Amino acid sequence: MFITFEGIDFCGKSTQVELLKNYLNQKNKTVEVIREPGGTRISELVRSLLLDKTHKNMCNETEIFLFSASRAQLVREKIRPYLLKGYYVISDRFHDSSTAYQGFGRGLSIELIMSIHSLAIGDTVPDITFFIDIPVEEAESRKQKKLAHELDRIEVSQKDFYEKVRNGYIFLSKEKRFRKIDGTLDVSTIHKQIVHEIELLEKR
């Protein structure tokens, strides 16, 4: 099963990724956790370019191609091989992030982004995607708990950008594979909802 987690920065998805991994391991499932961008040697090098705050002049077109290049490598080097072996692959972000961030957030053509996705990932689409939704105000509050130097090039974005990104996710969450979850609930409640959805999918 290919499971992805999405949401604006500071929504808590990384915490839920780890909890789901532990749950599946306890069920004797073989699990591989990956992150985006990153996950392979090449993809991690691309990640360092994308998130470096000194690259303030990176244009939106460069950004989408770098994210997609990292993703293409990850799909072919890790995701597809692991799925063929019967693994549960959990990804902290995937192609929906580019649609939300570079499409809705940056204002790039959604149609063109979809074309880039078709080349980068082909038919490697998640079986289920959890959108951990929090208000931008909540994300801003959580951001304040991090030191300025700990924030990456994307995380330093302003509130209006994140409003656009969140609206993009809300639009995307209408797709059948999405499960929209209230990220303001306590961690254990969110985890239980995720496990419930996974169990339902396994029974199909």
Side-chain angles (χ1 to χ4, degrees):
M1 188 184 296
F2 183 21
I3 306 160
T4 58
F5 283 78
E6 296 285 353
I8 63 174
D9 293 305
F10 311 105
C11 69
K13 57 184 173 47
S14 299
T15 297
Q16 294 302 326
V17 165
E18 189 65 22
L19 288 173
L20 180 59
K21 172 194 171 185
N22 293 338
Y23 167 80
L24 291 172
N25 282 334
Q26 290 170 7
K27 295 289 184 180
N28 296 316
K29 308 293 185 182
T30 308
V31 184
E32 180 69 18
V33 172
I34 53 181
R35 67 174 181 175
E36 274 237 331
T40 72
R41 181 175 175 275
I42 292 172
S43 301
E44 289 293 334
L45 290 171
V46 176
R47 179 187 179 89
S48 66
L49 288 171
L50 278 164
L51 302 185
D52 189 336
K53 284 186 290 188
T54 63
H55 299 156
K56 294 179 180 179
N57 62 339
M58 183 182 294
C59 69
N60 296 336
E61 291 80 4
T62 298
E63 188 175 77
I64 181 65
F65 282 123
L66 284 175
F67 272 113
S68 299
S70 170
R71 187 170 298 127
Q73 186 68 29
L74 183 62
V75 165
R76 288 153 183 83
E77 189 176 329
K78 292 282 187 74
I79 297 175
R80 287 178 184 170
Y82 281 125
L83 290 173
L84 286 172
K85 291 178 182 177
Y87 283 42
Y88 280 68
V89 177
I90 306 173
S91 185
D92 189 338
R93 298 198 179 283
F94 197 55
H95 71 305
D96 296 305
S97 282
S98 285
T99 308
Y101 277 75
Q102 283 72 55
F104 289 87
R106 303 290 194 210
L108 293 178
S109 165
I110 301 298
E111 183 179 358
L112 287 177
I113 288 176
M114 291 303 176
S115 295
I116 294 171
H117 288 337
S118 68
L119 176 63
I121 70 172
D123 59 358
T124 308
V125 177
D127 295 295
I128 189 168
T129 298
F130 293 104
F131 165 37
I132 312 298
D133 183 37
I134 60 171
V136 174
E137 291 75 13
E138 176 63 22
E140 290 290 316
S141 175
R142 296 179 185 184
K143 182 196 289 191
Q144 299 305 317
K145 297 175 183 177
K146 292 189 72 173
L147 298 175
H149 74 272
E150 295 177 330
L151 300 173
D152 63 41
R153 192 180 64 85
I154 306 295
E155 291 173 337
V156 297
S157 300
Q158 299 301 307
K159 183 178 178 181
D160 61 336
F161 171 74
Y162 278 115
E163 290 287 4
K164 294 174 185 175
V165 173
R166 182 183 179 227
N167 288 336
Y169 274 126
I170 290 171
F171 176 82
L172 291 172
S173 68
K174 297 172 185 176
E175 291 186 34
K176 187 177 180 180
R177 66 180 164 83
F178 269 81
R179 302 294 185 275
K180 183 170 174 284
I181 294 180
D182 183 354
T184 64
L185 297 173
D186 65 85
V187 171
S188 61
T189 299
I190 295 173
H191 174 61
K192 289 175 184 176
Q193 290 184 7
I194 290 168
V195 167
H196 176 69
E197 293 292 343
I198 294 296
E199 290 176 342
L200 287 177
L201 195 57
E202 288 177 323
K203 292 175 182 177
R204 292 180 186 173

